[in-house]
Short mmCIF file of all heavy atoms in Angstrom, two decimals:
data_model
loop_
_atom_site.label_atom_id
_atom_site.label_comp_id
_atom_site.label_asym_id
_atom_site.label_seq_id
_atom_site.Cartn_x
_atom_site.Cartn_y
_atom_site.Cartn_z
N VAL A 235 -10.28 2.48 -2.41
CA VAL A 235 -11.13 1.33 -2.71
C VAL A 235 -11.10 1.08 -4.20
O VAL A 235 -11.43 2.03 -5.01
CB VAL A 235 -12.62 1.54 -2.24
CG1 VAL A 235 -13.47 0.37 -2.63
CG2 VAL A 235 -12.63 1.75 -0.69
N TYR A 236 -10.73 -0.12 -4.67
CA TYR A 236 -10.62 -0.46 -6.06
C TYR A 236 -11.48 -1.60 -6.44
O TYR A 236 -11.65 -2.57 -5.70
CB TYR A 236 -9.21 -0.83 -6.40
CG TYR A 236 -8.25 0.33 -6.62
CD1 TYR A 236 -7.35 0.71 -5.64
CD2 TYR A 236 -8.32 1.04 -7.83
CE1 TYR A 236 -6.51 1.75 -5.87
CE2 TYR A 236 -7.45 2.10 -8.04
CZ TYR A 236 -6.60 2.48 -7.07
OH TYR A 236 -5.73 3.50 -7.26
N ASN A 237 -12.11 -1.51 -7.64
CA ASN A 237 -12.83 -2.63 -8.24
C ASN A 237 -11.75 -3.69 -8.62
O ASN A 237 -10.63 -3.40 -8.94
CB ASN A 237 -13.46 -2.12 -9.51
CG ASN A 237 -14.37 -3.16 -10.19
OD1 ASN A 237 -14.12 -4.36 -10.04
ND2 ASN A 237 -15.36 -2.67 -10.90
N TYR A 238 -12.11 -4.99 -8.46
CA TYR A 238 -11.18 -6.09 -8.75
C TYR A 238 -10.72 -5.98 -10.20
O TYR A 238 -9.59 -6.41 -10.50
CB TYR A 238 -11.91 -7.42 -8.51
CG TYR A 238 -11.98 -7.84 -7.08
CD1 TYR A 238 -12.76 -8.91 -6.69
CD2 TYR A 238 -11.22 -7.29 -6.05
CE1 TYR A 238 -12.87 -9.32 -5.40
CE2 TYR A 238 -11.25 -7.70 -4.80
CZ TYR A 238 -12.14 -8.70 -4.44
OH TYR A 238 -12.19 -9.14 -3.14
N ASN A 239 -11.50 -5.43 -11.13
CA ASN A 239 -11.09 -5.33 -12.50
C ASN A 239 -9.89 -4.42 -12.69
O ASN A 239 -9.19 -4.54 -13.72
CB ASN A 239 -12.23 -4.82 -13.42
CG ASN A 239 -13.41 -5.76 -13.40
OD1 ASN A 239 -13.23 -6.95 -13.20
ND2 ASN A 239 -14.53 -5.19 -13.71
N HIS A 240 -9.60 -3.55 -11.77
CA HIS A 240 -8.45 -2.60 -11.84
C HIS A 240 -7.29 -3.06 -10.99
O HIS A 240 -6.38 -2.26 -10.80
CB HIS A 240 -8.95 -1.27 -11.46
CG HIS A 240 -10.09 -0.74 -12.26
ND1 HIS A 240 -9.97 -0.45 -13.60
CD2 HIS A 240 -11.38 -0.56 -11.95
CE1 HIS A 240 -11.15 -0.07 -14.08
NE2 HIS A 240 -12.03 -0.11 -13.08
N LEU A 241 -7.26 -4.33 -10.52
CA LEU A 241 -6.19 -4.78 -9.74
C LEU A 241 -5.62 -6.08 -10.38
O LEU A 241 -6.35 -6.87 -10.89
CB LEU A 241 -6.64 -5.17 -8.31
CG LEU A 241 -7.21 -4.00 -7.47
CD1 LEU A 241 -7.72 -4.55 -6.17
CD2 LEU A 241 -6.14 -2.99 -7.20
N LEU A 242 -4.29 -6.18 -10.37
CA LEU A 242 -3.63 -7.37 -10.90
C LEU A 242 -2.92 -8.05 -9.69
O LEU A 242 -1.97 -7.50 -9.12
CB LEU A 242 -2.58 -7.02 -11.88
CG LEU A 242 -1.77 -8.14 -12.53
CD1 LEU A 242 -2.65 -8.93 -13.50
CD2 LEU A 242 -0.54 -7.64 -13.23
N PRO A 243 -3.43 -9.22 -9.23
CA PRO A 243 -2.84 -9.90 -8.12
C PRO A 243 -1.44 -10.49 -8.48
O PRO A 243 -1.22 -10.88 -9.63
CB PRO A 243 -3.81 -11.02 -7.78
CG PRO A 243 -4.58 -11.25 -9.01
CD PRO A 243 -4.57 -9.98 -9.76
N THR A 244 -0.55 -10.48 -7.51
CA THR A 244 0.77 -11.10 -7.72
C THR A 244 0.91 -12.30 -6.80
O THR A 244 0.01 -12.60 -6.05
CB THR A 244 1.87 -10.06 -7.30
OG1 THR A 244 1.80 -9.81 -5.95
CG2 THR A 244 1.78 -8.83 -8.14
N ARG A 245 2.00 -13.01 -6.95
CA ARG A 245 2.22 -14.23 -6.14
C ARG A 245 2.69 -13.87 -4.73
O ARG A 245 2.78 -14.70 -3.91
CB ARG A 245 3.17 -15.16 -6.78
CG ARG A 245 4.53 -14.56 -6.91
CD ARG A 245 5.49 -15.48 -7.60
NE ARG A 245 6.77 -14.87 -7.80
CZ ARG A 245 7.86 -15.52 -8.22
NH1 ARG A 245 7.78 -16.79 -8.57
NH2 ARG A 245 8.98 -14.91 -8.37
N TYR A 246 3.04 -12.59 -4.51
CA TYR A 246 3.55 -12.19 -3.28
C TYR A 246 2.47 -11.76 -2.24
O TYR A 246 1.40 -11.39 -2.60
CB TYR A 246 4.47 -10.95 -3.45
CG TYR A 246 5.63 -11.26 -4.34
CD1 TYR A 246 5.65 -10.82 -5.69
CD2 TYR A 246 6.71 -12.00 -3.88
CE1 TYR A 246 6.72 -11.06 -6.49
CE2 TYR A 246 7.81 -12.28 -4.74
CZ TYR A 246 7.76 -11.83 -6.08
OH TYR A 246 8.86 -12.09 -6.84
N SER A 247 2.85 -11.81 -0.99
CA SER A 247 1.95 -11.33 0.08
C SER A 247 2.85 -10.65 1.14
O SER A 247 3.93 -11.06 1.32
CB SER A 247 1.13 -12.46 0.69
OG SER A 247 1.93 -13.43 1.22
N VAL A 248 2.28 -9.64 1.76
CA VAL A 248 2.94 -8.87 2.85
C VAL A 248 2.09 -8.91 4.08
O VAL A 248 0.90 -8.60 4.01
CB VAL A 248 3.21 -7.47 2.37
CG1 VAL A 248 3.83 -6.58 3.45
CG2 VAL A 248 4.06 -7.37 1.12
N ASP A 249 2.64 -9.29 5.14
CA ASP A 249 1.89 -9.39 6.40
C ASP A 249 2.11 -8.16 7.28
O ASP A 249 2.69 -8.26 8.29
CB ASP A 249 2.20 -10.69 7.18
CG ASP A 249 3.67 -10.82 7.39
OD1 ASP A 249 4.50 -10.29 6.63
OD2 ASP A 249 4.05 -11.53 8.38
#
Side-chain angles (χ1 to χ4, degrees):
V235 177
Y236 278 103
N237 187 333
Y238 281 166
N239 295 338
H240 303 293
L241 297 175
L242 178 74
T244 63
R245 64 181 178 172
Y246 300 104
S247 59
V248 177
D249 54 335

